[in-house]
Amino acid sequence: MRPRPSRRQFLRNTAGISLASLLPKGLIAADAKTERVTIHPGDAIGLVRPELHGHFAEHLGSCVYGGLWVGKNSPIPNVDGYRKAAVDYLQELGVPVLRWPGGCFADDYHWRDGIGAKRPRRVNLHWGDYVEDNSFGIHEFVGLCKKIGAEPYIAGNVGSGTPTELRDWVEYCNFPSGSTLSDERAANGSPEPFNIRYWGVGNENWGCGGRMVPEHYADLYRQFSNYMHNWGGTKLFLIACGPNGNDLNWSRKFLTENIGGRTPDGFAMHFYENSPLTPAKFNEDAMNTQMKTFQRVETAIMQQRALLDGFEQQGKRNMNLFLDEWGVWDRMIPEEEKSYGKLWQQITMRGAVAAGLGLNLFNRQADKLYMCNIAQIVNVLHSMLLTDGPMGSHCVRTTTYYAFMMFKQHRLKTSVRTEKEGTDPLDLSVSASRSGGDLIVTLVNPRASADVHADCSFTGAAPSTASAQILHHADMNAYNSFDDPDKITVKPHAVALENGRLRLDVPAMSIVTVALKA
Ligand code: AHR
């Protein structure tokens, strides 16, 4: 236990003993209930891998074309064809990994269409039959990853592709030089191999990726993976298609059938949090239903991990669990989709809170997860950035962008166990991580109108300083618009630290991250 802070220290940390006097008037109701939380800094769960904050970009709507990529001749400010604002914002956010080109699109994508000077125009059959010119291919994708500091993750085509096509893509990307394919890559501007590690062997093959039964997919996984080699010293990390939500039948059958094949390094589950309402017209009921889904996501992670563990040999974990696609999926507004692109979804304060629930639970399950990619990075579903259509020059950082910003402090720290009184999925959500004397605690209040006083104690540690940030708007339907792009951003938040206890207000619809020295 650390000694109690001196009075001077205490005043410095809290700017006064009365918590109420610190808080902006009207931020929290006088009758807010108190929720007690216990943080166990010595009880490690696992590393918060930066990849738990991963991202996903699909050729869908205006995610790639018009979102990330506007082309070199565009009047929209760009760097080498990439939308400048998007590159700047994503650099600042830090994108650990970027999955591409789909989604459903991946299992109808033929990579040779996206290389060289002459590129065919193809119909995007999953997402509205629009014709794309293939100006964004593997070179442009790797170029984007370099610009934003992301590790590339390719989803290969199993649904409508062949083992030859996928093995050739690996060779094109990773074989150093001297083969026809690697020389073609050099002629196309990249003499150095891309050294891409992460390869998805199909996407949602139980659905848009071929409507397969698990036994059939297991056969194809064995066949395709057999031809994917570790060229140029890059050890491939192969990701098999996992279940839709918590479909244990898919996982069990795939794992049973795959015996004798190349063990996947990753097993990718997809889990969306759907709603029948449009994004900015939510009511409390719909929000509660959507927020409660996160408890099912957490259960799914535990059950799928337990299933994988049962298939591992000698208790050694080789198969890593991915949550390859997640996020809120609301009802789209046809006019918005027409103007801005397919699956273009406004991101409100509720979206940020949902992201906070997801990121908190990833911390809590950090020992079971390897990578989680929110869907998607720009202009599609639960996005970080929104533009006013493919030709629009506005680019706003969504509330979810700021939620991710607030969780950055957890990266590469060790997640530690937390406890709280309530078990209702709408109670305060908590996670914490530690590195040396630095402790980060994040609290999310997913209720529409019930404010909370959080009273946090720490086992075996007495924090001596604390500072906090909040992302909050009382209206669940509020958002950062093109006219008011900074309406909801991260602000400093008051906390009180007394005798090693942390007290703070967590208003309804807010995320609070506290950095402590312990
Ligand atoms: O993210 C949108 C779509 O959702 C993806 O293309 C697919 O994998 C999933 O069903």
Side-chain angles (χ1 to χ4, degrees), residues 107-397:
D107 281 274
D108 194 42
Y109 180 63
H110 303 285
W111 65 272
R112 293 202 64 92
D113 291 349
I115 57 167
K118 262 192 90 191
R119 303 191 186 185
R121 297 170 67 79
R122 299 276 186 221
V123 179
N124 187 327
L125 66 81
H126 285 294
W127 302 116
D129 279 351
Y130 70 87
V131 175
E132 63 178 66
D133 65 8
N134 275 302
S135 54
F136 192 94
I138 181 68
H139 289 262
E140 290 74 23
F141 172 60
V142 171
L144 172 67
C145 288
K146 285 201 175 123
K147 282 204 173 1
I148 61 175
E151 174 145 20
Y153 167 4
I154 290 181
N157 180 350
V158 170
S160 71
T162 62
T164 316
E165 185 183 15
L166 190 50
R167 63 79 67 210
D168 282 357
W169 202 4
V170 177
E171 182 183 330
Y172 183 87
C173 290
N174 290 356
F175 199 78
S177 64
S179 75
T180 301
L181 282 169
S182 57
D183 291 350
E184 189 179 6
R185 181 196 66 235
N188 285 333
S190 300
E192 292 304 318
F194 297 143
N195 300 327
I196 295 174
R197 280 197 306 143
Y198 292 123
W199 291 84
V201 184
N203 166 79
E204 293 195 355
N205 302 93
W206 37 260
C208 62
R211 317 245 164 247
M212 300 172 195
V213 294
E215 293 84 348
H216 180 54
Y217 173 69
D219 270 350
L220 291 185
Y221 174 82
R222 268 205 304 268
Q223 185 185 357
F224 276 64
S225 59
N226 187 54
Y227 299 97
M228 299 173 78
H229 278 224
N230 298 332
W231 283 308
T234 299
K235 189 168 177 334
L236 301 189
F237 190 110
L238 300 190
I239 299 116
C241 166
N244 180 12
N246 193 15
D247 181 354
L248 291 162
N249 182 52
W250 171 274
S251 307
R252 206 173 280 124
K253 290 215 164 115
F254 169 78
L255 294 164
T256 309
E257 293 294 322
N258 191 53
I259 304 288
R262 184 192 188 295
T263 304
D265 303 288
F267 188 64
M269 158 170 88
H270 290 185
F271 206 136
Y272 284 97
E273 295 75 45
N274 303 97
S275 173
L277 295 196
T278 56
K281 294 261 162 46
F282 258 63
N283 55 41
E284 195 165 339
D285 273 357
M287 194 193 66
N288 290 348
T289 306
Q290 193 175 54
M291 299 296 159
K292 283 179 188 169
T293 315
F294 284 95
Q295 199 174 52
R296 292 200 285 121
V297 177
E298 196 157 5
T299 304
I301 289 166
M302 293 190 274
Q303 293 187 347
Q304 294 286 335
R305 184 62 261 172
L307 192 67
L308 291 178
D309 285 343
F311 279 84
E312 300 281 19
Q313 282 166 8
Q314 293 148 359
K316 195 167 161 266
R317 265 189 192 169
N318 292 315
M319 284 184 282
N320 297 285
L321 185 61
F322 280 44
L323 182 56
D324 232 8
E325 292 184 23
W326 70 278
V328 295
W329 189 322
D330 306 330
R331 184 152 71 84
M332 301 301 146
I333 300 173
E335 298 76 48
E336 281 183 352
E337 285 196 287
K338 219 180 208 162
S339 314
Y340 299 151
K342 200 111 188 114
L343 300 195
W344 190 98
Q345 177 179 286
Q346 186 54 261
I347 302 299
T348 61
M349 188 60 221
R350 167 191 49 88
V353 167
L357 292 184
L359 297 172
N360 253 357
L361 82 87
F362 303 161
N363 280 352
R364 291 195 297 267
Q365 304 301 335
D367 56 332
K368 303 180 190 69
L369 289 164
Y370 192 88
M371 187 189 290
C372 303
N373 301 317
I374 190 165
Q376 298 190 5
I377 195 161
V378 180
N379 282 339
V380 169
L381 298 175
H382 202 166
S383 61
M384 304 297 116
L385 305 175
L386 284 174
T387 73
D388 46 344
M391 305 308 287
S393 58
H394 289 97
C395 180
V396 301
R397 284 164 287 185

Side-chain angles (χ1 to χ4, degrees), residues 40-66:
H40 302 282
D43 199 346
I45 295 172
L47 181 72
V48 180
R49 297 172 45 79
E51 290 80 0
L52 302 189
H53 302 172
H55 293 272
F56 168 38
E58 178 166 12
H59 289 222
L60 194 179
S62 52
C63 179
V64 173
Y65 293 106

